Amino acid sequence: MKPSSAPLPRGDATRAALLAAALQVFGDKGFEAASTRQIAAAARANIAMIAYHFGGKEGLRAACADHVAAVLSGIFGTAAAPRVETASQARAALKALARAGVRGIVADEAARPLARFLLREISDPSPAFARVFETGFAPLHARVCRLWALATGEEPESEATRLSVFALIAQIVYFRIARAPVLLRMGWSEIGPNQAAAIEAIVLANLEAALDAAGRRA
Amino acid sequence: MKPSSAPLPRGDATRAALLAAALQVFGDKGFEAASTRQIAAAARANIAMIAYHFGGKEGLRAACADHVAAVLSGIFGTAAAPRVETASQARAALKALARAGVRGIVADEAARPLARFLLREISDPSPAFARVFETGFAPLHARVCRLWALATGEEPESEATRLSVFALIAQIVYFRIARAPVLLRMGWSEIGPNQAAAIEAIVLANLEAALDAAGRRA
DNA sequence: GTCTATAAACAGATAGAC
DNA sequence: GTCTATCTGTTTATAGAC
């Protein structure tokens, strides 16, 4: 937690470099397929430094998980939904979250390694990441459910509400996970800003449609 | 392509056992994390048989991909949408496909190894699977797009239509990929028939809502 | 803290007996 | 076709010099 103005002590610098490299390589190829050699090379550090700073490959993975959790709670802990009281405010907040999700997970170049690592941990969770789900993810999901309830009139903790929020998340993360078939079928060579905007439009339209339909039911 | 009534010759039996075991283990842990020793043990076969029958680990993966492609084209090649001419027929066909998707990918116990392998290949495609995307997946996606267009009045190959179909697929596959956070947040211990039914209801409701909204736009 | 050198375990592949 | 035994390369982890 040093201010970034002061240059890092040498040890902390390699530690940070290893962490960033690990996030990248783990996210790129998966934990098992990633080798500590490759991570060390990407960080321009020595392989032995992984054991010194993190205790081993598994410890490095845990440190990545902690880092991701910290970043996420930093983003969603402070900036999310400051004061939402009416249905239309809730709807606007949900749309803003969906937009931020598409930008951050699908499009944003800087957040890409973090998102990739996160999505790998979602489908193959490490023991360390189970904690993150409980402390970081579940409360966030519950907050989105409250917004959904406010926007539609449904119960915030009903099965339908919780699953509807998952279905919203699904549409965002899919376009990162299923990159290959999407690129092929869309005739795209990458998912850049223009492609992300097209995805965003569909996700937002689906969100609106689902909210309207749920509102009519409730 | 032997009838299953006649017992398999010895060689074909171990070949089939290795294929089934590989599908399971690759789907469970991913290609890189899976070891040929473990696959051979699960198939009660000798490790050397992998090289004999498939040429190596990579060949085994390709054989799994071919097998999955054959099963999929068997399912979707014959059973899909025999004669659809009106918007309401198209809507019913889309709902039936979504239902079949949830059942097959999320719920069905027998199809689970196949679905798991398929979803791993979607996020980390092997060279062998690129062919499957083009020959098997893209035409199927295009057929669903035509149904979507018929149900809504939109253009079948417009960007919005193609992305909308992806968003529909997203909601189905997400519940398999993001199993861990879903179970945690829903308080479920598994995704059995009851849970799959709840998911199916949400996916179908979202499909209806999206079709209605798209129909109003077009 | 950082490095070199090496240990110990494991991977996939293969030669050759049967 | 199936097996045992082994080769070769790579992995993570670590001991010890600096």
Side-chain angles (χ1 to χ4, degrees):
Chain A
M1 291 298 174
K2 296 269 175 62
S4 58
S5 52
L8 289 165
R10 203 156 73 106
D12 291 8
T14 65
R15 202 194 127 94
L18 282 170
L19 203 66
L23 206 65
Q24 180 98 40
V25 179
F26 285 155
D28 235 50
K29 330 211 311 180
F31 176 73
E32 313 257 7
S35 85
T36 53
R37 286 173 154 75
Q38 188 185 354
I39 292 167
R44 291 175 194 265
N46 191 280
I47 319 166
M49 291 296 94
I50 291 174
Y52 178 79
H53 283 289
F54 302 97
K57 190 186 183 185
E58 200 72 50
L60 185 51
R61 182 188 200 177
C64 286
D66 288 340
H67 177 249
V68 169
V71 170
L72 288 184
S73 82
I75 294 172
F76 292 109
T78 66
R83 116 174 36 194
V84 172
E85 280 156 359
T86 70
S88 70
Q89 282 173 343
R91 178 180 287 248
L94 283 170
K95 285 168 71 175
L97 278 171
R99 226 186 304 262
V102 173
R103 302 254 163 99
I105 292 174
V106 181
D108 184 359
E109 201 65 40
R112 188 163 294 182
L114 196 143
R116 288 179 66 88
F117 177 85
L118 179 62
L119 293 176
R120 291 231 180 240
E121 289 287 330
I122 282 172
S123 55
D124 294 309
S126 59
F129 219 76
R131 284 180 292 119
V132 174
F133 284 151
E134 295 194 48
T135 62
F137 170 77
L140 172 62
H141 189 282
R143 274 227 306 286
V144 180
C145 284
R146 283 197 293 276
L147 289 177
W148 186 279
L150 201 50
T152 60
E154 291 187 307
E155 278 297 310
E157 283 297 309
S158 75
E159 197 173 61
T161 299
R162 285 177 290 162
L163 288 175
S164 293
V165 170
F166 271 122
L168 172 63
I169 297 171
Q171 294 172 61
I172 297 168
V173 305
Y174 179 79
F175 286 97
R176 169 146 296 287
I177 292 173
R179 197 153 237 275
V182 168
L183 291 180
L184 180 77
R185 174 69 175 116
M186 299 305 294
W188 293 344
S189 61
E190 52 152 16
I191 297 188
N194 293 341
Q195 290 75 27
I199 292 169
E200 192 181 299
I202 295 296
V203 171
L204 286 176
N206 283 345
L207 171 60
E208 297 258 25
L211 288 175
D212 288 340
R216 278 194 297 274
R217 277 196 303 273
Chain B
M1 290 299 176
K2 297 271 176 62
S4 58
S5 53
L8 289 165
R10 206 157 70 108
D12 290 9
T14 66
R15 202 195 128 93
L18 281 171
L19 202 67
L23 206 65
Q24 180 99 38
V25 178
F26 286 154
D28 236 49
K29 329 209 312 178
F31 176 73
E32 314 256 9
S35 84
T36 53
R37 288 174 157 80
Q38 186 186 356
I39 292 167
R44 290 178 194 267
N46 192 280
I47 319 166
M49 290 297 94
I50 291 175
Y52 179 79
H53 283 288
F54 302 98
K57 190 187 184 185
E58 200 72 49
L60 186 51
R61 184 187 200 178
C64 286
D66 287 339
H67 177 249
V68 168
V71 170
L72 288 184
S73 82
I75 293 173
F76 292 109
T78 65
R83 125 178 24 201
V84 172
E85 281 156 359
T86 71
S88 70
Q89 282 172 344
R91 179 179 286 248
L94 283 170
K95 286 167 71 175
L97 278 172
R99 225 186 304 262
V102 174
R103 302 251 164 102
I105 292 174
V106 181
D108 185 359
E109 201 64 40
R112 189 163 294 183
L114 196 143
R116 287 178 68 86
F117 177 85
L118 177 63
L119 293 177
R120 290 229 181 243
E121 289 287 330
I122 284 173
S123 55
D124 294 309
S126 59
F129 220 76
R131 284 181 291 119
V132 174
F133 284 151
E134 294 193 48
T135 61
F137 171 78
L140 172 61
H141 189 282
R143 273 228 305 286
V144 179
C145 284
R146 283 198 292 277
L147 289 176
W148 186 280
L150 202 49
T152 61
E154 292 186 306
E155 277 298 310
E157 284 297 309
S158 76
E159 198 172 59
T161 300
R162 284 176 292 161
L163 289 174
S164 293
V165 169
F166 272 122
L168 172 63
I169 296 170
Q171 296 173 60
I172 296 168
V173 305
Y174 178 80
F175 287 96
R176 166 146 300 286
I177 292 173
R179 196 153 236 274
V182 168
L183 291 180
L184 180 79
R185 173 72 174 116
M186 299 305 293
W188 293 344
S189 61
E190 53 151 18
I191 297 187
N194 293 340
Q195 289 76 29
I199 292 169
E200 193 181 299
I202 295 296
V203 172
L204 287 177
N206 284 345
L207 172 59
E208 297 257 25
L211 288 175
D212 288 340
R216 276 194 298 274
R217 278 195 304 273

